[in-house]
Amino acid sequence: ADFSNRTAQLKVCQEEEYLDGKICCKKCEAGQYVKSPCTSPSTYGQCEACADGKDYTEHANGLKRCIHCSRCRSDQVETVPCTIVQNRQCQCKPGYFCRPEEACEVCKKCSRCKEEMAEVHSCNATADTVCAKPSPATEKPRLGNTDKATTSAGTVTVITIVIVIIIGIVLVISLVLWKKRKCSHNPSPGCSSQPSDVKIPIDGAGQGSVEERQNSLNAGTEQQRRVSEGEPLLQNERLAGATRTGIDDEDRGLGDSLSNTANSSQTSLAGLPSSACSSSTPRHSPPTQRQDLAGGRAINENTYIPLEVSESLKKSFAIFTDQVGVKDRKKFLRHIGVKDNDILKAEKNIPADVDEQFYQLLTGWQQDKGKNASIELLLNALLELGHRHDAENIIQKVIENNYYKLNNENE
């Protein structure tokens, strides 16, 4: 009778409810907990959300607080983070494992297959490495002692060959250097195979081939005839030995190097006419002189008189710009003394107009020279560089434009 009375006193709640004292309250949803119970049957009390990342509830509940999130051990890594509806999930770090059927208090280190075993399954977080003896069909060939010895012998052979080749190269270089040194101190017939330097005489005293001597003789005779007839030598560029091979070495702007300028200048000077040297003709031919349009007078400081004392030279710069080719300007400017820094500065300041660069550099040269600046200096520079035709055209144009007139006081 007492047991029946106790059973009658027990309160039975629905599945979605929980008993709080004598009242059945509805459960809070997953991710929440009961902050305060209900006050009337089959109603919700006050539900509060769990703290994300700190605690959670996975199901509808009547708990008075959320469940704390678990933490991963030092030998584990997090695979699923903790949220308000699920706990944090962890697994062993790579290289370690823990079988699910065992109490995973500590992760175990993965095993390695022995040398004669083959790996069937790799180790993962829940299973160790699985090893087995390989079948004949899948067994990998292994280097035996014979193969290893063969490989070592081949390596030694290759190294030996390389060493022999290096020694041979060193010996050859040493022999060549020794022979050059011996020939430089004690020339012998055995040294005659070395190429000798070709020297081009520029003073007319050197000996050349028969053809060269004949050409020089013809050039000297023709030159004397033109001087006697008053023909301007600047109009003819076919004098013997005249060559302009140095022009091909120049660049097309004003940025050439000083070494190219020096080499080209020497080549142009070497191409000037030399005096005739022949056994059948006396060596008293007059030296070649630069001539102007006056018909035989060499260019000097008094050859041309400016008609506008302060402007004639500057106005002639436009004619020099028209006559002197772009690829020849660089060498010409340095020949008259313009510095490299000034040339580079003009290129930088006026990059798109090479004519304006040339004109401004000539103007700067005139300012630097002051009273010593003259058209004769510029014309002589062109003649020394082998640009006779350009010099002749400039002389003609400055006279036609009434910039200068010929000095006839000595005629």
Side-chain angles (χ1 to χ4, degrees), residues 7 26 63 66 71 114 155 163 194 243 255 275 293 343 382:
T7 303
K26 286 189 175 183
L63 299 175
C66 295
R71 296 182 179 180
K114 296 181 180 180
T155 304
I163 293 175
Q194 298 179 351
T243 177
S275 62
L293 292 180
I343 295 174
L382 288 174

Side-chain angles (χ1 to χ4, degrees), residues 27-46:
K27 295 179 180 179
C28 293
E29 297 179 355
Q32 297 178 341
Y33 71 97
V34 179
K35 187 174 184 180
S36 59
C38 63
T39 55
S40 57
S42 298
T43 58
Y44 288 103
Q46 184 180 357

Side-chain angles (χ1 to χ4, degrees), residues 252-383:
R252 297 187 179 182
L254 295 178
D256 197 9
S257 65
L258 282 171
S259 60
N260 288 342
T261 301
N263 294 334
S264 300
S265 299
Q266 292 176 2
T267 305
S268 299
L269 290 174
L272 292 175
S274 59
S275 62
C277 56
S278 174
S279 59
S280 60
T281 305
R283 299 183 182 178
H284 54 60
S285 300
T288 302
Q289 294 182 346
R290 296 181 294 274
Q291 306 296 325
D292 61 20
L293 292 180
R297 186 191 308 120
I299 295 176
N300 54 56
E301 294 300 324
N302 299 317
T303 301
Y304 303 101
I305 300 176
L307 297 180
E308 300 179 38
V309 177
S310 60
E311 295 296 327
S312 291
L313 181 58
K314 188 171 183 179
K315 288 183 177 181
S316 70
F317 292 162
I319 298 177
F320 276 87
T321 303
D322 292 337
Q323 295 300 318
V324 180
V326 173
K327 63 180 181 179
D328 300 324
R329 294 174 183 175
K330 175 64 183 51
K331 184 167 59 178
F332 170 73
L333 288 168
R334 282 179 175 162
H335 197 78
I336 63 176
V338 178
K339 297 180 181 179
D340 279 356
N341 288 340
D342 294 334
I343 295 174
L344 294 175
K345 187 182 297 182
E347 289 178 338
K348 183 177 180 181
N349 294 337
I350 319 172
D353 192 342
V354 294
D355 290 343
E356 184 63 21
Q357 292 176 17
F358 189 61
Y359 182 85
Q360 292 297 334
L361 287 168
L362 288 176
T363 303
W365 168 84
Q366 181 186 14
Q367 294 174 355
D368 292 340
K369 285 288 184 181
K371 294 181 179 181
N372 294 327
S374 67
I375 193 171
E376 286 82 7
L377 291 177
L378 301 179
L379 294 173
N380 284 334
L382 288 174
L383 291 172

Side-chain angles (χ1 to χ4, degrees), residues 96 199 365 406:
Y96 294 84
K199 298 182 180 179
W365 168 84
L406 291 173

Side-chain angles (χ1 to χ4, degrees), residues 40-60:
S40 57
S42 298
T43 58
Y44 288 103
Q46 184 180 357
C47 297
E48 189 77 13
C50 301
D52 189 26
K54 291 184 178 181
D55 46 28
Y56 70 97
T57 54
E58 291 186 353
H59 309 287

Side-chain angles (χ1 to χ4, degrees), residues 175-187 194:
L175 180 61
V176 172
L177 294 177
W178 173 81
K179 188 173 181 181
K180 287 184 177 180
R181 184 176 181 182
K182 180 180 178 182
C183 291
S184 63
H185 291 287
N186 185 20
Q194 298 179 351

